[in-house]
């Protein structure tokens, strides 16, 4: 399909975007502690502009000091203008236009972060932050409206091309718009027009400070997916009011903190979630509609535009995964796009659960553009990579792109290692895109791949490489404290997912981490109706990040009727069952057809010590070094590939 619609320009008043791809505002925590754009943040957005996006909407930016937070962008003081000028110039240099997303977090933050009492439309605590906000007075509202206007004025002075108002996701503007959280009886509540007064005053303030031809995008949740919250029927009216009030773009999102699993929907959820609503809205709305939410694929984006459902396509995670997606798509190089697989591990999990800066499972350079450039190697080396999992492939790819002569040997008949199997459980087929991208990237990068070839000391002695990278992965852990693991009913999760073990119910899964829970779902989908998961920890799938991915998985297991027993210690596997202790008592399950061990993995490195006297430079990476997640393995490969 020709991507003619996606790569046609769009005029918004006097502003023309070079194409229909807008980078959505996703938090990175790359800002300086004081809220200024850091060099890393500027590099990060500049890379997305050079990659070909038409519009870069910069992440959440505080419009008023009462919502400040460390490492979160601010525009609540003129002192921010110089660094924002640098950011705007860097984005312009790449060809894109730039809007900051102006926001106030309202009750969805903590006063110990802001240094100010929390405020909201009504004094109702956010169930997830659990801190009571103050109801804003009319003077307080007026001060914040002025704050948004002043922040937009600063953005304009810094050279930005417009602004976006964050009216989504339960933050303060959304908090006023929502019947769930706005219980005021004055002119800022009570009715739909009352709830819309605060956002409309903000739109008017921006226009008054910056001029009517300074574009304003208004982003809001068309469905909060919470009882009593905003619903699409009401959202359609809101969009019309906002456009009449001066908004130049209506940007559609959904959900808030209480329905977070739909705010950044993970793998397995439908693509282009908001497009159908947008299509209906477009019949009445006179301003362009920006639609995002799971549109990682340029072909899907083109279809949405061709169907007349939207004017601009918002991409967030897709551009974290590959800043060059627009350029590659426009050049017809779709196969070369690094695919976002919807895992939410680097972009959301690292940011919100590990309190790190945003990253990406498939693109470890996201947010580290300056730190991780591809610099040609000074000395061309002969590199032998043992193991074709994700760590080995990423290391091989990067090293080859830098000019090394790289051979990758994989002992099995295919590349991908355990990540290949990670794509087998239900709803996870998108994971296979990452394996395909890496596998197909081998010849493109100039890596010579040999399948069905284990690297042994003899192979190393014959080939005489300068460098050996041991990326031989891990093997399933057979828990030593459990008797009977050698019984014929026992198999491992990996054998099962690889199709190497037959199964019949009832099934007991020993180990209720991510893998064990996914095996239970996999078996449920295949009609096994009696499954028990025994987990040692007090919570199942605890190793799964982010937590809303975990919530969705556990909800699905519950719907299938899978029994999950936590704080359970398995003692023995019998010929037809399992003995375990839970709730202080010994219990057993008998009549079992299959016991699946999902008790973790153990590093597999039989090579590095055996070749220590054969080669000068040996590196051990990925699970072979220490069993961790794929995101760590790929990152380790990416870092080493740049060091060799
Ligand atoms: Fe996409 Fe996962 Fe990367 Fe996030 S971490 S951008 S979901 S691939």
């Amino acid at each position: 399909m020709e991507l003619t619609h996606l790569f046609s320009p769009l005029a918004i008043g006097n502003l023309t975007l070079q194409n229909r791809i807008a980078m959505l505002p996703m938090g990175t925590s790359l800002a300086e502690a004081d809220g200024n754009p850091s060099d890393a943040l500027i590099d990060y957005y500049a890379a997305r502009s050079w990659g070909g996006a038409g519009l870069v909407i910069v992440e959440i930016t505080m419009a008023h000091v009462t919502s400040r937070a460390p490492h979160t962008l601010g525009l609540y003081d003129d002192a921010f203008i110089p660094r924002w000028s640098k950011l705007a110039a860097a984005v312009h240099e790449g060809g894109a236009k730039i809007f900051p997303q102006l926001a106030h977090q309202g009750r969805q933050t903590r006063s110990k972060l802001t240094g100010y009492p929390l405020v909201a439309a009504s004094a109702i605590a956010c169930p997830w932050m659990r801190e009571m906000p103050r109801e804003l007075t009319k003077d307080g509202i007026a001060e914040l409206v002025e704050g948004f206007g002043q922040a937009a004025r600063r953005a304009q002075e810094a050279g930005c091309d417009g602004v976006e108002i964050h009216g989504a996701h339960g933050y303060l503007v959304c908090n006023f718009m929502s019947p769930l959280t706005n219980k005021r009886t004055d002119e800022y509540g009570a009715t739909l027009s009352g709830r819309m007064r605060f956002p409309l005053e903000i739109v008017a303030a921006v226009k008054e400070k910056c001029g009517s031809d300074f574009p304003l995008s208004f982003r809001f949740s068309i469905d909060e997916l919470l009882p009593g919250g905003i619903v699409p029927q009401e959202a359609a009216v809101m969009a019309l009011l906002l456009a009449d009030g001066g908004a130049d773009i209506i940007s559609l999102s959904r959900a808030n903190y209480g329905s977070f699993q739909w705010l950044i929907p993970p793998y397995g959820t439908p693509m282009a979630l908001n497009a159908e609503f947008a299509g209906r809205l477009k019949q009445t709305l006179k301003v362009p509609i920006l639609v995002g939410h799971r549109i990682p694929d340029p072909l899907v984006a083109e279809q949405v535009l061709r169907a007349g459902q939207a004017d601009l396509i918002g991409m967030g995670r897709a551009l974290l995964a590959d800043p060059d997606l627009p350029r590659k798509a426009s050049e017809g190089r779709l196969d070369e796009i690094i695919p976002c697989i919807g895992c939410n591990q680097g972009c959301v999990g690292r940011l919100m659960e590990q309190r790190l800066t945003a990253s990406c499972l498939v693109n470890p350079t996201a947010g580290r553009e300056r730190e991780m450039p591809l610099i040609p190697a000074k000395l061309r080396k002969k590199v032998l990579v043992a193991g074709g999992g994700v760590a080995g492939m990423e290391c091989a790819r990067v090293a080859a792109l830098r000019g090394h002569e790289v051979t990758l040997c994989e002992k099995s008949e295919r590349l991908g290692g355990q990540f290949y199997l990670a794509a087998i459980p239900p709803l996870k087929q998108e994971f296979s895109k990452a394996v395909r991208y890496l596998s197909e990237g081998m010849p493109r990068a100039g890596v010579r791949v040999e399948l069905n070839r284990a690297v042994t000391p003899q192979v190393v002695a014959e080939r005489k490489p300068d460098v050996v990278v041991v990326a031989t992965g891990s093997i399933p852990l057979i828990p030593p404290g459990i008797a009977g693991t050698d019984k014929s009913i026992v198999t491992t999760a990996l054998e099962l997912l690889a199709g190497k073990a037959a199964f019949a119910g009832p099934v007991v899964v020993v180990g209720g981490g991510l893998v064990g829970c996914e095996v239970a779902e996999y078996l449920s989908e295949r009609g096994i109706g009696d499954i028990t998961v025994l987990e040692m920890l007090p919570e199942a799938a605890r190793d799964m990040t982010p937590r809303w991915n975990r919530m969705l998985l556990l909800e699905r297991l519950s719907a299938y009727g899978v029994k999950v027993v936590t704080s359970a210690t398995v003692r023995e596997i019998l010929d037809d069952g399992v003995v375990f202790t839970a709730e202080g008592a010994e219990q057993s399950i008998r009549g079992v057809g299959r016991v699946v061990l999902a008790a973790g993995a153990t590093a597999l490195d039989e090579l590095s010590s055996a070749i220590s006297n054969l080669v000068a430079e040996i590196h051990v990476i990925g699970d072979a070094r220490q069993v961790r997640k794929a995101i760590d393995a790929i990152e380790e490969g990416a870092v080493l590939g740049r060091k060799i």
Side-chain angles (χ1 to χ4, degrees):
M1 185 180 5
E2 294 285 314
L3 303 176
T4 47
H5 289 67
L6 192 58
F7 291 101
S8 63
L10 177 69
I12 301 157
N14 297 331
L15 183 74
T16 301
L17 307 180
Q18 62 188 357
N19 59 46
R20 306 300 180 101
I21 299 176
M23 180 172 191
L24 290 175
M26 288 194 64
T28 64
S29 279
L30 286 169
E32 301 284 6
D34 66 0
N36 262 304
S38 64
D39 286 341
L41 182 138
I42 292 171
D43 291 346
Y44 166 81
Y45 284 110
R48 273 74 200 163
S49 175
W50 283 105
L55 173 63
V56 168
I57 305 176
V58 175
E59 67 201 71
I60 188 167
T61 299
M62 296 312 146
H64 195 266
V65 67
T66 51
S67 186
R68 69 182 174 191
H71 301 288
T72 303
L73 286 170
L75 265 169
Y76 48 80
D77 194 291
D78 284 0
F80 288 116
I81 294 174
R83 290 294 296 176
W84 270 89
S85 301
K86 204 168 173 195
L87 170 59
V91 169
H92 284 156
E93 218 179 317
K97 305 299 182 192
I98 174 172
F99 291 11
Q101 188 194 48
L102 301 179
H104 191 294
Q105 295 186 91
R107 65 177 196 164
Q108 289 187 171
T109 180
R110 294 201 164 83
S111 55
K112 71 177 182 199
L113 284 178
T114 64
Y116 293 91
L118 302 192
V119 292
S122 303
I124 303 168
C126 168
W128 297 273
M129 306 309 283
R130 297 195 187 136
E131 183 173 340
M132 183 59 78
R134 289 183 188 169
E135 179 172 307
L136 270 166
T137 62
K138 288 183 196 167
D139 285 348
I141 292 172
E143 185 184 330
L144 293 184
V145 169
E146 173 70 10
F148 273 90
Q150 291 291 352
R153 190 259 307 158
R154 292 179 192 112
Q156 189 179 36
E157 283 181 28
C160 295
D161 304 285
V163 293
E164 176 163 281
I165 302 301
H166 194 339
H169 309 160
Y171 294 118
L172 186 63
V173 179
C174 175
N175 182 268
F176 268 82
M177 293 167 71
S178 169
L180 180 64
T181 49
N182 184 343
K183 301 297 182 190
R184 299 175 77 102
T185 53
D186 63 6
E187 64 266 42
Y188 288 95
T191 61
L192 172 60
S193 61
R195 285 184 273 122
M196 290 302 290
R197 186 177 300 275
F198 180 54
L200 288 169
E201 285 184 359
I202 290 172
V203 173
V206 171
K207 292 289 175 178
E208 193 250 317
K209 296 277 187 287
C210 303
S212 60
D213 58 350
F214 188 64
L216 182 151
S217 166
F218 195 98
R219 181 163 174 79
F220 76 108
S221 297
I222 58 167
D223 193 340
E224 286 186 285
L225 298 158
L226 290 172
I230 296 168
V231 293
Q233 294 90 328
E234 191 176 56
V237 182
M238 288 173 162
L240 295 172
L241 289 172
L242 289 161
D244 285 348
D248 303 285
I249 299 172
I250 295 296
S251 173
L252 306 181
S253 189
R254 60 172 57 212
N256 72 24
Y257 274 27
S259 45
F260 214 112
Q261 64 273 36
W262 295 106
L263 201 159
I264 310 176
Y267 56 83
T269 50
M271 296 279 168
L273 274 165
N274 292 335
E276 197 184 321
F277 175 85
R280 287 199 301 276
L281 186 60
K282 238 188 108 48
Q283 292 166 17
T284 50
L285 200 68
K286 295 285 183 284
V287 301
I289 296 179
L290 190 163
V291 72
H293 261 76
R294 295 267 291 153
I295 310 186
D297 184 335
L299 296 175
V300 176
E302 177 71 16
Q303 277 167 352
V304 169
L305 294 172
R306 281 191 186 194
Q309 292 174 312
D311 304 279
L312 260 174
I313 300 297
M315 292 188 179
R317 290 170 288 180
L319 296 185
L320 248 85
D322 194 343
D324 297 323
L325 178 152
R327 191 159 43 79
K328 290 176 183 172
S330 71
E331 293 169 2
R333 297 189 289 135
L334 295 177
D335 288 351
E336 295 178 37
I337 292 172
I338 309 173
C340 168
I341 55 172
C343 67
N344 284 350
Q345 287 182 28
C347 51
V348 185
R350 281 209 174 177
L351 190 74
M352 300 193 76
E353 294 185 357
Q354 294 171 266
R355 302 285 163 201
L356 300 169
T357 55
S359 179
C360 173
L361 185 147
V362 289
N363 175 18
T365 68
R368 298 166 69 185
E369 284 74 14
R370 189 172 297 204
E371 210 184 303
M372 297 180 74
L374 267 185
I375 298 170
K378 286 196 183 109
L379 181 67
R380 188 165 198 250
K381 293 181 182 172
K382 197 170 162 188
V383 180
L384 179 61
V385 179
V390 291
M393 282 199 283
E394 178 66 1
C395 180
R397 187 184 74 86
V398 172
L401 287 174
R402 292 183 52 235
H404 293 303
E405 180 194 335
V406 183
T407 302
L408 182 148
C409 294
E410 163 56 40
K411 72 176 179 192
S412 76
E413 71 287 356
R414 55 163 174 76
L415 295 172
Q418 291 193 21
F419 208 72
Y420 178 89
L421 299 178
I424 288 178
L427 305 177
K428 287 189 73 185
Q429 284 59 54
E430 283 172 66
F431 277 46
S432 64
K433 291 183 189 170
V435 175
R436 194 180 70 198
Y437 153 74
L438 283 167
S439 310
E440 291 179 358
M442 295 295 96
R444 267 200 301 270
V447 177
R448 179 188 155 97
V449 174
E450 296 180 27
L451 297 176
N452 300 305
R453 166 89 63 195
V455 176
T456 60
Q458 190 187 350
V459 170
V460 174
E462 281 167 15
R463 301 198 179 191
K464 299 184 177 39
D466 302 307
V467 183
V468 171
V469 177
V470 180
T472 42
S474 59
I475 50 173
L477 177 72
I478 308 298
I482 300 178
T485 52
D486 56 349
K487 302 273 186 196
S488 61
I489 59 166
V490 176
T491 188
T492 65
L494 291 190
E495 282 170 338
L496 193 102
L497 292 174
K500 293 179 181 167
F503 49 82
V507 171
V508 174
V509 181
V510 176
L514 166 63
V515 173
C517 288
E518 285 185 343
V519 162
E521 188 181 17
Y522 171 84
L523 292 170
S524 298
E525 207 191 39
R526 273 149 191 79
I528 301 292
D530 188 351
I531 301 172
T532 305
V533 177
L534 300 174
E535 168 55 31
M536 199 167 62
L537 297 173
E539 199 181 1
R542 209 177 194 173
D543 54 338
M544 187 175 190
T545 54
R547 72 186 153 86
W548 36 92
N549 283 19
R550 181 164 71 231
M551 279 163 49
L552 287 171
L553 174 60
L554 294 179
E555 276 171 19
R556 294 196 299 270
L557 288 188
S558 165
Y560 274 124
V562 171
K563 291 186 280 297
V564 178
V565 184
T566 53
S567 303
T569 305
V570 177
R571 301 282 174 213
E572 186 178 0
I573 298 170
L574 310 170
D575 288 330
D576 68 341
V578 172
V579 179
F580 63 100
T581 49
E583 297 176 343
E586 186 165 290
Q587 305 179 36
S588 66
I589 303 172
R590 306 300 293 265
V592 169
R594 192 46 112 180
V595 173
V596 184
L597 292 180
T602 187
L604 179 66
D605 170 19
E606 294 168 336
L607 189 62
S608 59
S609 57
I611 58 170
S612 58
N613 57 351
L614 295 175
V615 62
E617 193 178 336
I618 302 169
H619 302 275
V620 185
I621 61 168
D623 273 10
R625 185 168 149 226
Q626 186 190 345
V627 175
R628 286 153 298 163
K629 293 180 186 301
I631 190 170
D632 304 305
I634 295 184
E635 182 177 353
E636 215 159 80
V639 169
L640 179 62
R642 284 165 170 79
K643 277 190 187 153
I644 291 171

